Amino acid sequence: MIKIAIYEDNLSLLESLSYLIRGTENFRLCTAAANPVHVIDDCKRLCPDVILMDIDMPEMTGIEATRLVKAAFPDVNIMMLTVFEERDKIFEALCAGATGYLLKKTPSAQIISAVEELHRGGSPISSSIARKVLEHFASPGHSNHKDMYKLSPRETEILNRLVLGDSYKMAADACFVSVGTIYSHINSIYRKLHVNSKSEAVIKAIKEKLI
């Protein structure tokens, strides 16, 4: 059973998402609120596995709430569900600790699949958002510091897959290696980047433009 919390100030969408979660097998709706001011208390009391988080909300933004949650509950997976496609919002959300980023126009079936993927350790991102991430790294002003960390070409490729939202299995399939080999490379990536988790590696890759 995947326990889900929703924070969305559009009451019509909040109701629709709540109905979707309640009607999906193996999903349980913990709470649905129009703003995240009580998100820490909600996490303490309800222990959600996944949070669907809007960005622009009254009293507290979704990005501010994400920072608070990840600082107190690092194992909670947060997926931004928003209308914003601007690069600054994307990177700010990912750096705050979000491990997924979907646009509100995403079909219901894809939202369900994304929640399941997030719970399994993936990082689902809308294709248009992933394109903006790639365009950012391909821009002329992009400075590459991977040599500082001595990442191998294969490690850089795998780190790129993680930034794009691939699960370990998806990365293994894309690189034509076993999941065990992916784990071995990821352990090396963590050691070289001085991080302890997938989200920290993704954040560092984005902040320091390592791919």
Side-chain angles (χ1 to χ4, degrees), residues 159 162 189-190 193 195 197-206:
L159 184 59
L162 297 185
I189 291 169
Y190 287 1
L193 298 186
V195 299
S197 69
K198 179 180 177 180
S199 61
E200 288 181 6
V202 168
I203 290 168
K204 193 158 195 172
I206 291 171

Side-chain angles (χ1 to χ4, degrees), residues 82-94:
T82 179
V83 298
F84 290 108
E85 299 186 60
E86 294 85 356
R87 288 182 186 177
D88 60 336
K89 294 291 186 184
I90 297 167
F91 294 130
E92 191 177 359
L94 294 176

Side-chain angles (χ1 to χ4, degrees), residues 6-204:
I6 306 171
Y7 298 93
E8 167 62 60
D9 69 329
N10 182 317
L11 297 184
S12 177
L13 180 57
L14 182 63
E15 183 178 352
S16 296
L17 289 170
S18 299
Y19 182 80
L20 177 67
I21 298 305
R22 289 194 185 102
T24 302
E25 187 177 1
N26 296 325
F27 282 16
R28 190 177 85 192
L29 182 64
C30 292
T31 187
N35 66 65
V37 292
H38 300 300
V39 66
I40 295 300
D41 288 339
D42 291 344
C43 287
K44 289 178 181 177
R45 182 169 51 91
L46 303 170
C47 303
D49 300 303
V50 172
I51 294 176
L52 300 182
M53 186 80 77
D54 188 16
I55 287 183
D56 189 15
M57 289 181 284
E59 299 187 61
M60 179 184 292
T61 70
I63 292 174
E64 291 170 335
T66 296
R67 289 195 188 97
L68 291 176
V69 171
K70 296 304 289 187
F73 304 95
D75 293 333
V76 175
N77 290 297
I78 301 177
M79 181 156 60
M80 312 312 289
L81 190 59
T82 179
V83 298
F84 290 108
E85 299 186 60
E86 294 85 356
R87 288 182 186 177
D88 60 336
K89 294 291 186 184
I90 297 167
F91 294 130
E92 191 177 359
L94 294 176
C95 290
T99 42
Y101 198 108
L102 295 185
L103 298 176
K104 288 183 178 179
K105 61 186 178 182
T106 303
S108 297
Q110 291 183 25
I111 292 176
I112 291 171
S113 297
V115 169
E116 293 172 335
E117 182 184 344
L118 194 67
H119 186 58
R120 291 193 301 266
S123 299
I125 300 177
S126 293
S127 58
S128 62
I129 301 302
R131 178 179 290 273
K132 288 180 185 295
V133 173
L134 287 175
E135 288 172 351
H136 171 75
F137 289 124
S139 63
H142 169 221
S143 60
N144 194 323
H145 297 99
K146 65 176 181 293
D147 291 342
M148 180 189 306
Y149 296 102
K150 302 188 185 303
L151 294 174
S152 71
R154 177 63 92 182
E155 289 167 350
T156 302
E157 180 183 11
I158 292 170
L159 184 59
N160 179 52
R161 303 308 311 183
L162 297 185
V163 170
L164 291 178
D166 282 7
S167 65
Y168 295 157
K169 184 179 185 308
M170 292 167 64
D173 291 343
C175 296
F176 302 102
V177 297
S178 69
V179 174
T181 298
I182 291 293
Y183 276 112
S184 177
H185 283 302
I186 285 174
N187 285 334
S188 177
I189 291 169
Y190 287 1
R191 185 176 65 255
K192 290 180 179 181
L193 298 186
H194 307 291
V195 299
N196 298 304
S197 69
K198 179 180 177 180
S199 61
E200 288 181 6
V202 168
I203 290 168
K204 193 158 195 172

